[in-house]
Amino acid sequence: MSERNTIAIVDQRSASASSAALPRIPDTITLPSGLLSDGLGRPLRDLRISVTDRCNFRCSYCMPKEVFDKNHQFLPQSALLSFEEILRLAQIFVAHGVHKIRLTGGEPLLRKHLERLIEMLSAVRTPDGTPLDITLTTNGSVLARKAAALKAAGLNRVTVSLDAMDDTIFRRMNDVDFPVADVLAGIDAAVAAGLGPIKVNMVVKRGTNEQEILPMARYFRDHYDGHVILRFIEYMDVGATNGWRMDEVMPSAEVQRLLDLHFPLEALDPSQSGETAERWRYRDGRGEVGFISSVTQAFCGDCSRARLSTEGQLYLCLFAQQGYDLRSLLRQPHPTGRPYTDDDIAAAVGLIWQERDDRYSQLRASQPASSSASGRRIEMSYIGG
Ligand code: SAM
Ligand code: SF4
Ligand code: SF4
């Protein structure tokens, strides 16, 4: 294994988190117009909120056991944003134009009473009075128990991660010996609860689970009558702990060619701008598949996503090296001694977004195929996928 295309296995999450910048409040406060755009003309439409940094899985590409072991210090409860704090920030982001919120983690369903947060968010309205689109990404381990309550609380849709149909391969990939059958039961419960269209995310890692591409496609074509959309995700060099190597990335184009040989495909138009997945459908009408190709095909051009970490740091890109400490504006007083108002915080967020020029994947695409930018990057389990 060459050193050039390998990222060292170290945990740099805490260092990155503690170096978050204090947001600047502009001298003149302008109220949100819902029309915010960044330095590259991209609007703010999507907010991903990580509700916990903990997880009951140890997927090697995300929270490898060697790093996230029994000595790993997860965040204390007091560091986490409370539901009230999350709601307050969500309302500010909605005033700026966000209309979709995705709850993620770590494993979001491990956050106690998450249904209560969903209920609170589902009461929020965009400036034109529309309810938010509230979704959640989960490993599915406790979804069978929770799907109905999540739906009742106001969750619209769910995305479930599953990397293999083969039980041995899946147990090895989650590295906690968790069985496929329980995740499938979670997907069934989500379908029954009406949390569709359900997306299933499969990270394809060459040498680990590429033999599962066809079994996964076959299963989701055959079982759900087009109600479950399988999406193939390129293994990404996110964070600093997964020992990422370019030769373990299976480009989406290759996955698509393989799939097309067995189940002929045709391209679909993207449903909306800012969409991460390229959409295809089976020519025989048995549903849709997606490809998320952040390594081989950058989609930064219309990236309208902001990420809020578990402890309230705002990140402008999945690969950002630094966040902005919004929690301090919620918990600490203004230098004059008064609390920060919503207008102060909204103005700070507006300024941060206006100055945004992140486009990591696009820049990486112009570098040699084996390279990954160096520097401290935040873990996926901390800011969510
Ligand atoms: N625990 C939940 C789950 O697994 O669905 C939510 C958080 S997880 C960080 C969100 C998504 O990121 C999952 O679909 C996971 O497969 C994906 N992911 C994590 N690390 C990745 C990597 N290195 N490359 C590509 N996708 C990754
Ligand atoms: Fe946990 Fe999701 Fe990361 Fe797997 S991908 S370790 S389930 S947070
Ligand atoms: Fe958005 Fe950053 Fe991903 Fe580009 S690399 S699509 S800017 S999150």
Side-chain angles (χ1 to χ4, degrees):
M1 177 197 314
S2 90
E3 264 180 33
R4 211 164 62 89
N5 61 0
T6 308
I7 298 176
I9 297 192
V10 284
D11 181 13
Q12 295 174 326
R13 183 206 64 179
S14 330
S16 298
S18 60
S19 69
L22 201 66
R24 192 159 63 80
I25 314 287
D27 297 334
T28 312
I29 303 286
T30 38
L31 297 180
S33 61
L35 300 171
L36 193 61
S37 68
D38 74 2
L40 301 172
R42 300 170 295 187
L44 173 54
R45 291 279 176 263
D46 240 287
L47 180 64
R48 301 193 171 189
I49 304 175
S50 172
V51 293
T52 177
D53 61 335
R54 289 162 202 261
C55 188
N56 52 345
F57 284 13
R58 286 293 176 274
C59 308
S60 61
Y61 52 70
C62 179
M63 295 179 77
K65 249 184 188 162
E66 311 86 79
V67 177
F68 295 87
D69 59 10
K70 62 180 182 344
N71 298 318
H72 180 78
Q73 298 269 307
F74 288 100
L75 295 168
Q77 186 69 24
S78 60
L80 271 52
L81 289 187
S82 67
F83 290 168
E84 288 71 23
E85 289 172 326
I86 292 176
L87 176 67
R88 186 174 174 203
L89 289 178
Q91 285 166 325
I92 288 168
F93 278 86
V94 168
H96 272 308
V98 161
H99 53 67
K100 176 171 161 192
I101 289 187
R102 176 175 297 279
L103 301 177
T104 176
E107 174 45 45
L109 297 185
L110 295 187
R111 178 85 186 246
K112 278 206 186 93
H113 311 301
L114 188 73
E115 298 81 1
R116 197 159 64 78
L117 174 65
I118 293 170
E119 257 169 38
M120 290 157 75
L121 293 172
S122 68
V124 176
R125 295 287 175 271
T126 63
D128 68 8
T130 317
L132 301 179
D133 183 15
I134 306 174
T135 71
L136 177 146
T137 305
T138 174
N139 62 24
S141 56
V142 295
L143 189 57
R145 262 195 284 130
K146 297 203 166 205
L150 292 167
K151 177 70 184 179
L155 189 70
N156 299 110
R157 290 180 291 114
V158 81
T159 297
V160 183
S161 304
L162 178 65
D163 296 329
M165 291 306 300
D166 179 276
D167 203 47
T168 308
I169 296 176
F170 183 61
R171 285 177 192 255
R172 203 182 305 134
M173 286 186 80
N174 62 55
D175 216 6
V176 293
D177 211 25
F178 197 87
V180 172
D182 291 14
V183 179
L184 295 178
I187 294 171
D188 288 346
V191 172
L195 286 167
I198 289 158
K199 292 172 183 161
V200 171
N201 280 354
M202 172 184 181
V203 175
V204 182
K205 217 175 151 185
R206 203 193 286 283
T208 303
N209 66 337
E210 78 256 47
Q211 67 276 43
E212 290 299 297
I213 294 167
L214 292 174
M216 288 280 288
R218 194 169 292 118
Y219 183 85
F220 289 105
R221 274 167 51 85
D222 288 351
H223 283 76
Y224 296 101
D225 211 15
H227 293 303
V228 174
I229 302 169
L230 176 61
R231 306 183 322 161
F232 300 94
I233 305 187
E234 287 177 350
Y235 169 41
M236 288 188 282
D237 53 333
V238 71
T241 62
N242 63 13
W244 182 87
R245 287 163 40 193
M246 185 64 198
D247 57 10
E248 289 180 325
V249 176
M250 183 148 171
S252 290
E254 211 178 314
V255 179
Q256 189 226 314
R257 275 197 301 276
L258 172 70
L259 217 54
D260 192 47
L261 279 177
H262 295 80
F263 311 113
L265 295 170
E266 61 194 7
L268 281 171
D269 284 339
S271 57
Q272 46 191 268
S273 118
E275 179 97 61
T276 47
E278 201 186 305
R279 301 172 58 208
W280 292 71
R281 74 173 159 226
Y282 296 113
R283 283 180 190 270
D284 63 8
R286 306 283 288 274
E288 188 180 322
V289 283
F291 298 94
I292 301 183
S293 322
S294 53
V295 176
T296 61
Q297 259 187 307
F299 44 79
C300 304
D302 54 6
C303 176
S304 53
R305 290 177 291 282
R307 293 178 159 84
L308 192 59
S309 79
T310 317
E311 51 182 337
Q313 324 273 349
L314 171 63
Y315 287 88
L316 303 180
C317 173
L318 190 50
F319 299 90
Q321 297 184 25
Q322 202 187 31
Y324 297 85
D325 184 9
L326 297 186
R327 190 187 63 187
S328 66
L329 301 183
L330 301 172
R331 296 192 182 175
Q332 286 161 26
H334 186 273
T336 60
R338 65 169 174 84
Y340 287 98
T341 62
D342 286 359
D343 291 349
D344 291 331
I345 301 174
V349 168
L351 199 60
I352 292 168
W353 191 262
Q354 278 165 344
E355 289 173 353
R356 174 186 192 241
D357 63 358
D358 300 67
R359 49 191 177 109
Y360 174 85
S361 292
Q362 210 172 317
L363 295 175
R364 182 200 31 214
S366 57
Q367 292 174 357
S370 61
S371 71
S372 162
S374 58
R376 297 188 317 184
R377 282 207 312 263
I378 210 74
E379 292 304 322
M380 188 89 142
S381 55
Y382 175 69
I383 51 171

